[in-house]
Amino acid sequence: HFCVETCQGVKATSAACRSCRDECQAACECSDFCEPLIKDAALCHEQGLSWSPILSQSFDNFFLSVLTLFEILTTEGWVNVMYAAADITEVYQQPVRDNSQWLWAISFSIYIMFMFMFILNLSVGVIVGKFLELKKENSNTMLTTSQAKWIKSIKRLGKKNLKAF
């Protein structure tokens, strides 16, 4: 499945296609003890290291993508995700620092600005709207029953004329 892109059409006889097929064949022959990786990931593994993600956030599947976008929206750890996105090159290739920094910096900033303001305004609007609705229904909406009784007793006390002794 690694060689599909490399060996399409007239590229089937190219050196890159032969190399990819050799890697796939080697992976099949040593499936018990080899790691079938390509490009920089294979070099990393050959040197005794592991090819693993640098962040817990990723866009590898739908659930993780939505979770990562929500974390970016809450502005919690979004800078690390932006730096990792700015460093990407290709699949199974070593990241290069600031490879496409301007594209990702602007994209993340625009996403945060619009989505954060949208969610913030939506939340505040719903909270204020609900509070005004509850206030119209009853002025003691935000009070507990004991607090409402205390206010009622203070009002009764204020209406009585107290004579000095």
Side-chain angles (χ1 to χ4, degrees):
H1 62 278
F2 292 124
C3 301
V4 172
E5 183 180 309
T6 310
C7 298
Q8 285 179 345
V10 291
K11 298 179 192 176
T13 57
S14 69
C17 180
R18 283 193 304 269
S19 172
C20 186
R21 288 185 177 161
D22 290 343
E23 288 179 31
C24 287
Q25 181 181 352
C28 292
E29 290 173 359
C30 65
S31 60
D32 296 336
F33 56 90
C34 287
E35 192 71 31
L37 297 170
I38 60 171
K39 300 181 183 177
D40 288 344
L43 293 175
C44 178
H45 187 72
E46 286 173 3
Q47 294 174 5
L49 304 171
S50 65
W51 188 262
S52 58
I54 57 173
L55 295 174
S56 61
Q57 299 99 337
S58 72
F59 294 95
D60 290 341
N61 61 40
F62 181 75
F63 176 73
L64 289 175
S65 299
V66 171
L67 182 63
T68 301
L69 288 173
F70 180 74
E71 288 179 9
I72 292 169
L73 175 65
T74 61
T75 64
E76 191 67 33
W78 72 276
V79 175
N80 297 334
V81 178
M82 182 185 68
Y83 286 153
D87 295 346
I88 60 170
T89 52
E90 291 182 31
V91 178
Y92 292 111
Q93 288 278 0
Q94 181 70 21
V96 176
R97 185 179 170 106
D98 300 332
N99 186 45
S100 54
Q101 69 179 0
W102 295 110
L103 169 72
W104 292 110
I106 292 170
S107 300
F108 275 72
S109 299
I110 289 172
Y111 175 77
I112 288 173
M113 186 170 53
F114 283 115
M115 294 306 290
F116 186 69
M117 291 302 161
F118 173 74
I119 295 297
L120 182 68
N121 286 334
L122 183 67
S123 301
V124 169
V126 167
I127 290 169
V128 169
K130 188 65 174 174
F131 178 76
L132 291 175
E133 179 184 316
L134 291 173
K135 192 173 181 180
K136 282 181 184 177
E137 290 176 10
N138 185 2
S139 61
N140 296 335
T141 303
M142 303 303 280
L143 302 175
T144 64
T145 55
S146 60
Q147 290 172 334
K149 287 179 185 178
W150 185 80
I151 289 176
K152 193 183 275 186
S153 65
I154 294 296
K155 285 182 181 179
R156 283 186 198 151
L157 185 63
K159 289 181 183 178
K160 288 186 178 185
N161 291 331
L162 298 175
K163 295 183 182 181
F165 291 96

